[in-house]
């Protein structure tokens, strides 16, 4: 194949990607309003254990949810049910990121508490199926990834809004090797996608009494997609004169987070997909690592809550899954409660986690047999909640 033919083939590939993205744009234009949980006669919560340590830590978080929601479950206001089959074995068998029957089951629920899922990489024994997380975000249009990080003694109180369906991850598995010399990947930004994540960040700030929202981009270099994100950020910011709006570049922002003085100046941060993935993992280290931070994936019809760490298959291989720390998915479960309107229960859950993880230290979960199990830690958290 000569160079001209290679370029024509690449252009054809790119054209198909553009058509797919315009279909997304059309769907976003038809979006309805956010679901009003207070108007629902029944809220359906699905629990998907996932892979590796996922089932163990998810069960620990579920036990605390069941305690906090006991009256609502008893009187039929809430159901809490398992979603089976979101495992690497089933995904490989179906050769899909999420098997069709599992996705159909997921869509029966309003909100999902999800354990970590394995994404195969080079050298793994599994075929290269797409990330279940990415697939779920696309299938349910979970466009806002919300990750709070709070460390009171360091005056850190951040909430990150990461765009979840666009950027470098939108077509991350659909790049093209033009030939052995040239490979091209793509990043995507739509006006609709940028606007809805930016509005979500400002709406959160307004609702929760936050006075500052910061955009994080690399618009000085990535001038088109990041430039459009920043342009829309400034347009939305002009509608909120009561909120201070500023911007930072992703490279300097990673440095600012380790500056003890400057990092305290930030409250709500909003950014494209890849930058949010990196920055929130860095931020979680101040709270004790990714094992301590929860994550929300919010759409207008569905929402999914998860730990921000992986499935740790080595812990399973070594027989240590029961010792995995469930704090991250417990934080996610507290976010789930807050999202569906159970703010008091969420506050008690978070307060108990603060006590158990930072204040009392009566029980340490270190991933090894000389530490507590996840079930023991869940019982500790539940007893602490009872005392609040």
């Amino acid at each position: 194949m000569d160079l001209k033919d290679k370029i024509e083939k690449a252009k054809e590939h790119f054209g198909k990607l553009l058509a797919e993205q315009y279909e997304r744009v059309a769907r976003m234009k038809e979006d309805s309003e956010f679901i009003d949980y207070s108007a629902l006669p029944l809220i359906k919560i699905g629990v998907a254990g996932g892979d590796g340590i996922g089932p163990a830590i998810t069960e620990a978080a579920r036990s605390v949810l069941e305690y906090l929601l006991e009256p609502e479950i008893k009187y039929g206001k809430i159901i809490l049910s398992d979603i089976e089959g979101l495992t690497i074995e089933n995904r490989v068998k179906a050769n899909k990121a999420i098997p069709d029957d599992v996705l159909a089951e997921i869509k029966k629920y309003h909100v999902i508490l999800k354990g970590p899922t394995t994404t195969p990489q080079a050298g793994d024994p599994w075929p290269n199926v797409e990330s279940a997380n990415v697939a779920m975000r696309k299938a349910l249009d979970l466009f806002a990834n919300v990750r709070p990080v709070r460390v009171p003694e360091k005056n850190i109180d951040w909430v990150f809004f990461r765009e979840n369906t666009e950027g470098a991850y939108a077509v991350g598995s659909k790049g093209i090797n033009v030939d052995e010399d040239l490979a091209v990947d793509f990043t995507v930004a739509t006006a609709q996608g940028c606007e809805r994540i930016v509005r979500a960040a400002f709406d959160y700030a307004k609702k929760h009494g936050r006075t500052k929202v910061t955009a994080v981009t690399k618009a000085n270099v990535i001038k088109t997609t990041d430039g459009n994100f920043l342009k829309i950020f400034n347009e939305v910011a002009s509608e909120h004169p009561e909120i201070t709006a500023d911007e930072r570049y992703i490279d300097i922002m990673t440095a600012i987070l380790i500056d003890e003085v400057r990092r305290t100046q930030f409250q709500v941060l909003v950014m494209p997909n890849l930058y949010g993935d990196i920055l929130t993992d860095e931020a979680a280290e101040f709270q004790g690592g990714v094992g301590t931070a929860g994550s929300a994936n919010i759409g207008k019809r569905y929402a999914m809550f998860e730990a921000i760490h992986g499935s740790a298959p080595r812990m399973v291989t070594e027989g240590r899954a029961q010792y995995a720390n469930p704090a991250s998915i417990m934080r996610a479960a507290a976010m789930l409660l807050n999202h569906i309107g159970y703010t008091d229960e969420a506050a008690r859950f978070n307060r108990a986690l603060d006590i158990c993880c930072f204040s009392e230290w009566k029980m340490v979960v270190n991933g090894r047999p000389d530490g507590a199990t996840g079930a023991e830690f869940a019982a500790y958290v539940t007893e602490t909640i009872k005392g609040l």
Side-chain angles (χ1 to χ4, degrees):
M1 186 182 297
D2 62 22
L3 181 59
K4 182 178 179 181
D5 289 337
K6 291 177 183 178
I7 292 174
E8 288 301 316
K9 184 178 179 180
K11 287 165 64 176
E12 181 182 356
H13 179 84
F14 185 50
K16 291 178 181 178
L17 294 182
L18 290 178
E20 290 176 4
Q21 293 307 306
Y22 273 112
E23 290 175 4
R24 283 187 61 247
V25 169
R27 291 195 297 270
M28 284 189 282
K29 286 181 176 180
E30 296 174 355
D31 270 351
S32 58
E33 295 300 313
F34 280 96
I35 192 168
D36 180 3
Y37 293 96
S38 66
L40 295 176
L42 173 66
I43 299 175
K44 299 178 181 179
I45 302 172
V47 181
D51 298 313
I53 63 172
I57 62 172
T58 304
E59 181 57 32
R62 176 186 177 142
S63 70
V64 183
L65 279 181
E66 288 177 333
Y67 169 73
L68 285 166
L69 295 174
E70 184 178 3
E72 285 73 15
I73 294 171
K74 180 179 179 180
Y75 292 107
K77 295 180 180 179
I78 288 178
I79 62 168
L80 196 61
S81 302
D82 289 321
I83 298 172
E84 303 291 347
L86 192 64
T87 63
I88 185 63
E89 292 82 6
N90 279 352
R91 292 161 55 217
V92 166
K93 183 178 179 181
N95 195 28
K96 287 191 173 183
I98 305 175
D100 291 342
D101 59 332
V102 178
L103 182 58
E105 184 68 15
I106 287 170
K107 288 183 175 181
K108 294 178 182 179
Y109 297 90
H110 301 107
V111 291
I112 299 99
L113 182 67
K114 178 191 149 299
T117 48
T118 299
T119 302
Q121 61 183 13
D124 285 350
W126 309 107
N128 189 27
V129 293
E130 185 186 12
S131 161
N133 276 7
V134 173
M136 192 178 296
R137 291 164 186 163
K138 290 178 182 178
L140 304 183
D141 200 22
L142 306 176
F143 65 86
N145 184 229
V146 186
R147 295 183 175 182
V149 173
R150 182 173 172 270
V151 189
E153 62 269 25
K154 295 182 180 179
N155 201 23
I156 290 173
D157 191 3
W158 304 317
V159 181
F160 295 87
F161 279 75
R162 165 194 172 193
E163 203 292 318
N164 224 7
T165 59
E166 299 191 348
Y169 292 4
V171 286
S173 62
K174 297 182 180 180
I176 182 170
N177 288 299
V178 182
D179 59 17
E180 64 274 10
D181 296 318
L182 178 63
V184 180
D185 272 313
F186 306 97
T187 187
V188 172
T190 66
Q192 293 76 17
C194 294
E195 182 177 354
R196 65 185 185 177
I197 188 65
V198 169
R199 288 197 180 279
F202 276 94
D203 289 347
Y204 178 92
K206 186 175 182 179
K207 182 179 179 181
H208 293 86
R210 304 288 179 121
T211 59
K212 185 177 181 180
V213 178
T214 302
V216 181
T217 71
K218 193 59 179 172
N220 57 331
V221 176
I222 314 298
K223 293 182 182 295
T224 303
T225 50
D226 280 19
N228 285 343
F229 187 98
L230 188 57
K231 174 178 175 287
I232 290 171
F233 173 83
N234 288 325
E235 289 171 353
V236 175
S238 69
E239 301 173 15
H240 297 274
E242 75 284 3
I243 297 174
T244 300
D246 71 345
E247 59 185 85
R248 292 290 189 278
Y249 297 135
I250 180 59
D251 45 355
I252 191 61
M253 194 69 220
T254 60
I256 290 174
L257 286 193
I258 63 173
D259 184 313
E260 293 183 0
V261 176
R262 288 188 294 169
R263 72 188 181 199
T264 62
Q265 300 169 4
F266 299 95
Q267 299 179 20
V268 178
L269 303 96
V270 61
M271 63 211 72
N273 204 332
L274 175 60
Y275 309 145
D277 195 3
I278 295 168
L279 202 62
T280 54
D281 277 9
E282 182 194 10
E285 284 299 305
F286 296 103
Q287 189 173 269
V290 294
T292 67
S295 176
N297 299 269
I298 308 297
K300 291 190 173 181
R301 183 176 179 183
Y302 301 101
M304 182 264 284
F305 300 82
E306 61 181 342
I308 71 171
H309 56 72
S311 59
R314 180 181 297 179
M315 291 188 68
V316 178
T317 301
E318 296 174 356
R320 297 187 289 117
Q322 68 270 35
Y323 298 102
N325 191 339
S328 179
I329 199 163
M330 284 185 175
R331 291 287 185 187
M335 295 176 74
L336 183 157
L337 288 172
N338 195 64
H339 182 72
I340 63 175
Y342 287 82
T343 54
D344 290 342
E345 289 81 358
R348 290 168 64 202
F349 201 166
N350 275 318
R351 177 60 182 145
L353 285 168
D354 287 344
I355 291 170
C356 297
C357 294
F358 301 127
S359 301
E360 290 186 349
W361 283 93
K362 290 182 178 179
M363 185 177 293
V364 177
V365 184
N366 59 14
R368 297 184 298 273
D370 60 344
T373 67
E376 289 168 340
F377 183 75
Y380 174 33
V381 171
T382 301
E383 286 302 311
T384 304
I385 290 171
K386 293 177 181 178
L388 295 177

